[in-house]
Amino acid sequence: MKKGIAITLALVMMVLFVGCGLANQLEGTKWEMSETVDGATEKLVFNFQEESKLVLTVSYSMPEYDIEESFSMSGSWSVDGDQLTISYTDGVDTITETATAEIDGDKLTLTVTEDGETEKVVLTRVK
């Protein structure tokens, strides 16, 4: 009897562990980041949809000059361990980027290393 309970608990824990993977944490969520420089604000929103579909929305505003623009790009996303790969088309070219991803509550940290330099980008969950 005890052996049956131990096996059942082990299976439940395994299902819970697999269910909490990065892909499951991203699917169906939106994450954003914004930056303001010299009065101009740029905002990026990553919408990780089902079936590995991605919608990347870029907004740009410069209130001083009454400028406000926004556009979206379609793409895809995939996860391999802690590696998040996104691919999107900017109208002409297809861009593919891979980053190490870590979720801590409502913060998604993407770490990208390119040409020997490492950059961290922190996004906030959109509720």
Side-chain angles (χ1 to χ4, degrees):
M1 182 73 170
K2 289 182 182 179
K3 187 176 182 181
I5 292 173
I7 291 172
T8 302
L9 286 174
L11 289 172
V12 168
M13 293 301 289
M14 188 172 74
V15 168
L16 290 174
F17 179 74
V18 171
C20 293
L22 180 60
N24 290 333
Q25 293 179 64
L26 288 174
E27 187 172 67
T29 63
K30 290 182 184 178
W31 301 82
E32 70 181 8
M33 64 170 286
S34 63
E35 181 177 47
T36 302
V37 177
D38 296 331
T41 301
E42 183 176 56
K43 180 176 164 182
L44 301 173
V45 177
F46 293 82
N47 184 351
F48 295 96
Q49 299 177 348
E50 293 178 352
E51 299 178 7
S52 298
K53 294 180 183 173
L54 173 72
V55 176
L56 176 59
T57 304
V58 180
S59 302
Y60 180 81
S61 68
M62 204 168 175
E64 182 179 339
Y65 298 102
D66 200 27
I67 296 172
E68 192 161 322
E69 296 179 17
S70 181
F71 62 94
S72 294
M73 298 174 277
S74 296
S76 62
W77 63 279
S78 64
V79 170
D80 183 9
D82 65 351
Q83 298 297 301
L84 169 65
T85 300
I86 62 170
S87 246
Y88 56 93
T89 303
D90 67 1
V92 177
D93 298 318
T94 297
I95 297 147
T96 301
E97 299 178 8
T98 299
T100 301
E102 180 182 337
I103 296 176
D104 184 12
D106 288 336
K107 300 289 180 196
L108 169 61
T109 303
L110 302 176
T111 306
V112 180
T113 302
E114 191 173 299
D115 297 329
E117 293 191 29
T118 299
E119 181 180 350
K120 287 190 180 206
V121 177
V122 179
L123 295 100
T124 304
R125 184 187 308 264
V126 177
K127 294 187 180 190

